[in-house]
Each structure stands twice: as structure tokens, then as C-alpha cells.
């Protein structure tokens, strides 16, 4: 990486003062995540600042104008491929790490499969996946909700995008995908990219094999009408390219939804009055009926909860870019070669944009457009392509869970963990009261 301009250059973003760095350290020592530390740095340094540690240098875009500039205005200079980076090594030519014409071509292949109208036929698949989890919960059981939601989300993804039976394939894939997620989770490799990680080698090789088998099977016996078939058709015999897209979609598309669903249920467990209101609204709409997109349309009580969960715990809290040419963020100069971290987490908790930014207040989303202060699905050319599927899954699964069970906290405070996504910390349990 080329060196950044020094602090003496008036156009380089500021380095947080010693005082704000100490405040960030104190946040960490009190058990906050490094995202909370980032928020403490932003409070001291402003919405664009430099992060400098031995072996790691980046510029952080942490407010609405700099984030818009990074994701939308400077796309020709800020690219997704951040080398050398495990995300790029894992996804290779996957859509998330491609740019320009190649990226646009990949979007064109996938886009038809994410149209809301095309997705609605998977509503019964989603409700069945939710039912399988609910039926496994005994009344009074303590459940690690993130684990249950991972299975649910992966089963839906496999069926909806690839035409692969979820309940049979998810148990085999889940532990292998966990290894892939561990491989890309923030860790010491950020400072030492060459660090060897031998424990992950076996599962990652097995994952490659499982994906290759699926691709070969589908090539031999096309099913038609699935995204997997569309990739096979588009890439001819190039199985590696199909593998790259398939793996990207699997990782980007299941853990994010799982985190969203799990945070929702954890927040509802912690706020029984909000949970009761939501359940009353769902019961009034559905009674004993099966949730469907049509039956739940415009149910504001429910929707605000979903947005507020995404605001507080955006599953992808920081996006990564690398400047391939010099550009500016809110007037600050970003030289070529610099890593740019786009912090949706600090945006969503920015005290200049949100009243009581750390409080769970779903009603803040009632009838209000959020504009640039709320970007859980990103913005610009890499905006989440799977957002319509995520929203459909969230709405149907949450409605079903509220209909059939009540959720009580078995924790003192919700604790996040920053893995591949911002997820509930391991061991964060909720107590289930079955209704039926
Ligand atoms: C709550 C759920 C989800 C959240 C919060 C989320 C968030 C995001 C964000 C912030 C990005 C932008 C990344 C960047 O700019 O670097 C993104 C991209 C992406 N997401 Fe999602 N996502 C979710 C669900 C899904 C689902 C269900 C799928 C697929 C089934 C999916 C597939 C993708 C893909 C393929 C990309 C890359 C798009 C591109 O580069 O053109 N996501 N997602």
C-alpha cells in the first residue's frame, strides 16, 4: 500500500486525538465491541478520520455525507476488491468483490431472481422453515436463537435460489459455512494477512467439494428456473465461476438474515410491551391463518420493529473499499492505495441524526423516510441484491414466531459479537413460551 499523506497535509482526514483514543480504549475495556470504539473515535474526530495502527491503516467514513460519497459518488475510485484480504481470497470472482462491467454483468444475471414478485412464491417455504424451528422448541426451553435462525435462513436460501432441498442439505453445509465465516471474520489477519489458519483448511476444502458436487449434479441434470441454473448457463463449463457466485450468495445471504431475525427476537424479549403490541397486530391480521405477503402488507407495528433492529445491529456494520485512484470524501483527500472503511454502525447511532440513538424505539420509523441516515443494505452499485428476500423472510418468519410463541429474556443485556456479521454473542439465550 502506498503511504498516506501525513497529518501536516491540511486535506488529509484527521487522526483522532489522544483523548478520543483513550476514550475508545475505555469503551473496549468496559466490554464494548470495536464498533463502539469506532463510535467513540467518531465522536472525537468527526465523520471522516484516519485509523492508524502498526500494520493497519485506513480512513473511516462514519457519517451520511462521507458514506454517500464513498458508496455512490466515488465508485470509480473506491473499489470493492481490498487486496490482500481473506474476503477476496474466499469469494475470488464473486459478485461482492467485483467492480465495473464484470460486476454489472453478474448483477444482470442475478437480478430477476430477487424481484419481489418472483420471490413471493417462496412464502410457504419460509413459513415451513419457521415452523420446523418452532416445533423443535419445548415450552419453557432456553434457546440460542441465532443458531435456530441460521438453520431457518440457510434452508430458505438453498431452496429459493438454488432449488436444493433445505432441510436435508442445511445440516451438512452449516458447519462448513461457519468455517468460511470464521475465515473472513475480523481478527489478527487484518494486521498480518499472511497468518496461517490451519484449523480452517479441512472444512474449507470440504465446502469446495460440496459446492462442486452440486454444480456438477445440476450441470448433468438441469432444473431450470433457479439462479444456480442461470449461472451454469451463463458461464458454460467454468465451474469455478459458478462456485464463486454460489459461495458469495450463501455467505452474504444466510448469516445476515439470521442475525436480523435473532436480534429482532432478542429485542422483543427485552421489550415485552413492544412484543405484545406486535403480537396483537399479527393476531388481528392473521388469527390462526398462515402468514402470507398479502395478509401482512402495510403492517406498520411489525415493520418498525424490523427497521429498528437493523438500525441498532446492522448485520454488515462496516463495508470495505480500497482507493484505486485519489478521491475526496467530504472535502478530505483520500490518496490511491488507502483502505476505506464505511461504518454503517456509526451512521445508525450518530447522535446528530437520531434522538436517543442507543434506545430501541421502533415507532421512530412510523411514516418517516430515513434517507441517508439509515443504510442497512448499503447504497450504490453494490447495494444488497438480496434485500427483497431478506425482507420477505423477516416478515413471514417473525409473524409466524409471534403467532406461535412468546419470547422472554434469559440474559441481562443483549451482547453483540463482531464475527462475519454483527451477531448476538454466543450463549445469548431466550426463553420460549409456546402458544401452539
Ligand atoms: C438483513 C439481511 C441483509 C443485510 C443487512 C445485507 C446487507 C448488505 C450490504 C450492506 C451489502 C453491501 C456490501 C458492500 O457494499 O460492500 C450487501 C451486498 C450483498 N448482499 Fe446483502 N444483506 C442482507 C441479506 C442478503 C440476502 C438474503 C442475500 C442473498 C440471498 C444477500 C446477498 C448479497 C449480495 C450478493 C451482495 C453483493 C451485491 C453486489 O456486490 O452487487 N444479502 N448486503
Amino acid at each position: 500500500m502506498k503511504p498516506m499523506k501525513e497529518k501536516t497535509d491540511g486535506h488529509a482526514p484527521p487522526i483522532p486525538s489522544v483523548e478520543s483514543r483513550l476514550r475508545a480504549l475505555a469503551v473496549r475495556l468496559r466490554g464494548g465491541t470495536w464498533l463502539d470504539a469506532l463510535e467513540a473515535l467518531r465522536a472525537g474526530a468527526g465523520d471522516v478520520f484516519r485509523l492508524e495502527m502498526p500494520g493497519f491503516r485506513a480512513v473511516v467514513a462514519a457519517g451520511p455525507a462521507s458514506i454517500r460519497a464513498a458508496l455512490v459518488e466515488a465508485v470509480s475510485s473506491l473499489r470493492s476488491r481490498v487486496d490482500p484480504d481473506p474476503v477476496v481470497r474466499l469469494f475470488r470472482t464473486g459478485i461482492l468483490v467485483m467492480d465495473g462491467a464484470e460486476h454489472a454483468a453478474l448483477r444482470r444475471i442475478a437480478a430477476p431472481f430477487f424481484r419481489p414478485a418472483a420471490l413471493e412464491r417462496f412464502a410457504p417455504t419460509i413459513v415451513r422453515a419457521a415452523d420446523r424451528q418452532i416445533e423443535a422448541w419445548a415450552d419453557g426451553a432456553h434457546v440460542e436463537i441465532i443458531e435456530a435462525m441460521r438453520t431457518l435462513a440457510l434452508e430458505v436460501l438453498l431452496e429459493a435460489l438454488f432449488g436444493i432441498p433445505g432441510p436435508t442439505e442445511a445440516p451438512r453445509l452449516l458447519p462448513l459455512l461457519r468455517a468460511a465465516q470464521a475465515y473472513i471474520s475480523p481478527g489478527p489477519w487484518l494486521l498480518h494477512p499472511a497468518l496461517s489458519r490451519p484449523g480452517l483448511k479441512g472444512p474449507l476444502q470440504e465446502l469446495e467439494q460440496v459446492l462442486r458436487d452440486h454444480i456438477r449434479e445440476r450441470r448433468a441434470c438441469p432444473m431450470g428456473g433457479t439462479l444456480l441454473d442461470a449461472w451454469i448457463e451463463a458461464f458454460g463449463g467454468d465451474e469455478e465461476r459458478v462456485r464463486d457466485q454460489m459461495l458469495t450468495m450463501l455467505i452474504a445471504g444466510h448469516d445476515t438474515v439470521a442475525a436480523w431475525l435473532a436480534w429482532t427476537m432478542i429485542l422483543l424479549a427485552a421489550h415485552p410491551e413492544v412484543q405484545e403490541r406486535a403480537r396483537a397486530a399479527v393476531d388481528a391480521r392473521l388469527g390462526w391463518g398462515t402468514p402470507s405477503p398479502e395478509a401482512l402488507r402495510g403492517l406498520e407495528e411489525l415493520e418498525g420493529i424490523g427497521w429498528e433492529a437493523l438500525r441498532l445491529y446492522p448485520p454488515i456494520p462496516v463495508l470495505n473499499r480500497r482507493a484505486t485512484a485519489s478521491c475526496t470524501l467530504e472535502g478530505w483527500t483520500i490518496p490511491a492505495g488507502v483502505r476505506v472503511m464505511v461504518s454503517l454502525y456509526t451512521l445508525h447511532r450518530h447522535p446528530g441524526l437520531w434522538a436517543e440513538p442507543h434506545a430501541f424505539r421502533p415507532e421512530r420509523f412510523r411514516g418517516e423516510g430515513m434517507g441517508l441516515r439509515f443504510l442497512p443494505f448499503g447504497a450504490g452499485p453494490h447495494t444488497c441484491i438480496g434485500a427483497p428476500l431478506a425482507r420477505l423472510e423477516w416478515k413471514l418468519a417473525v409473524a409466524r414466531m409471534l403467532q406461535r410463541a412468546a419470547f422472554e429474556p434469559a440474559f441481562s443485556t443483549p451482547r453483540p459479537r463482531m464475527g462475519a456479521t454483527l451477531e448476538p454473542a454466543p450463549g445469548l439465550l431466550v426463553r420460549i413460551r409456546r402458544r401452539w
Side-chain angles (χ1 to χ4, degrees):
M1 182 174 46
K2 287 183 191 169
M4 272 195 248
K5 285 187 184 177
E6 286 312 311
K7 202 180 173 188
T8 46
D9 181 334
H11 295 294
I15 294 176
S17 63
V18 173
E19 198 192 353
S20 36
R21 275 181 276 163
L22 286 175
R23 225 176 292 128
L25 184 64
V27 166
R28 287 291 274 156
L29 293 175
R30 280 200 305 270
T33 63
W34 63 263
L35 294 165
D36 299 311
L38 215 54
E39 168 57 21
L41 293 176
R42 192 215 57 76
D47 287 356
V48 187
F49 57 91
R50 280 193 273 172
L51 206 56
E52 304 215 337
M53 291 179 272
F56 184 83
R57 306 175 101 193
V59 165
V60 181
S66 56
I67 287 179
R68 186 189 153 75
L71 297 182
V72 183
E73 287 150 15
V75 279
S76 57
S77 317
L78 290 181
R79 318 293 277 189
S80 284
R81 188 174 271 267
V82 180
D83 291 315
D85 187 320
V87 177
V88 175
R89 265 186 253 139
L90 186 72
F91 294 152
R92 298 179 198 157
T93 66
I95 185 168
L96 184 69
V97 291
M98 300 304 280
D99 288 297
E102 274 177 292
H103 172 255
L106 292 169
R107 290 273 310 195
R108 273 196 300 277
I109 298 169
F113 296 90
F114 291 101
R115 292 205 183 101
L119 290 169
E120 288 196 354
R121 70 194 162 104
F122 296 109
T125 306
I126 297 168
V127 176
R128 274 197 301 271
D131 278 341
R132 275 192 293 276
Q133 293 309 313
I134 298 163
E135 275 150 27
W137 299 334
D139 185 39
H142 287 72
V143 170
E144 185 152 10
I145 194 81
I146 182 67
E147 295 298 338
M149 296 302 104
R150 267 194 197 111
T151 306
L152 186 162
L154 184 58
E155 287 180 2
V156 171
L157 183 71
L158 287 167
E159 295 205 25
L161 296 186
F162 307 149
I164 294 173
T168 44
E169 190 58 7
R172 176 159 76 134
L173 267 175
L174 268 170
L176 307 180
L177 291 173
R178 294 300 287 154
Q181 284 158 332
Y183 183 74
I184 57 173
S185 296
W189 56 260
L190 269 175
L191 305 179
H192 310 285
L195 213 63
S196 113
R197 304 163 79 190
L200 300 178
K201 202 167 160 207
L204 289 179
Q205 277 171 350
E206 198 182 332
L207 180 59
E208 296 284 337
Q209 190 56 49
V210 172
L211 297 184
R212 204 167 305 126
D213 289 348
H214 276 301
I215 295 164
R216 289 197 179 149
E217 245 172 64
R218 190 58 59 86
R219 281 186 70 197
C221 192
M223 186 179 195
T226 78
L227 180 53
L228 177 54
D229 290 79
W231 285 325
I232 289 172
E233 207 182 306
F235 306 143
D238 191 345
E239 286 178 4
E240 285 302 303
R241 287 194 70 199
V242 181
R243 169 264 179 222
D244 298 348
Q245 306 316 319
M246 202 176 174
L247 182 55
T248 304
M249 212 51 90
L250 278 169
I251 300 274
H254 95 279
D255 220 29
T256 44
V257 176
W260 188 14
L261 287 169
W263 280 121
T264 302
M265 304 326 285
I266 285 166
L267 288 163
L268 288 177
H271 297 85
E273 66 301 336
V274 180
Q275 185 180 160
E276 268 321 305
R277 274 202 303 277
R279 181 171 297 106
V282 168
D283 281 350
R285 277 284 176 95
L286 299 178
W288 296 85
T290 305
S292 68
E294 191 48 45
L296 295 170
R297 223 176 289 285
L299 198 59
E300 275 202 352
E301 288 86 345
L302 205 57
E303 280 166 9
I305 293 167
W307 299 140
E308 184 68 342
L310 274 186
R311 183 186 71 80
L312 285 170
Y313 300 107
I316 307 188
V318 173
L319 315 180
N320 276 290
R321 298 289 188 268
R322 170 91 69 199
T324 51
S326 166
C327 62
T328 59
L329 294 184
E330 246 185 306
W332 301 106
T333 303
I334 313 298
V338 168
R339 177 193 280 263
V340 174
M341 294 167 68
V342 177
S343 174
L344 305 179
Y345 186 83
T346 47
L347 177 72
H348 288 182
R349 290 176 182 245
H350 198 302
L353 303 169
W354 304 95
E356 289 187 79
H358 305 295
F360 176 66
R361 285 181 31 196
E363 64 282 3
R364 70 171 96 232
F365 281 87
R366 280 258 170 101
E368 247 194 88
M370 291 297 135
L372 282 177
R373 62 186 172 137
F374 181 61
L375 296 175
F377 295 106
H382 286 280
T383 302
C384 181
I385 197 167
L389 177 59
R391 288 202 299 266
L392 186 69
E393 284 183 63
W394 184 89
K395 207 189 238 190
L396 294 168
V398 169
R400 192 53 155 180
M401 287 191 278
L402 286 171
Q403 247 188 329
R404 298 196 60 185
F407 298 81
E408 296 171 358
F411 51 83
S412 44
T413 34
R415 281 173 300 106
R417 186 186 86 98
M418 188 52 221
T421 57
L422 180 60
E423 58 188 21
L428 199 64
L429 306 177
V430 291
R431 193 181 307 111
I432 305 290
R433 296 279 170 225
R434 281 285 296 274
R435 296 179 83 208
W436 48 281

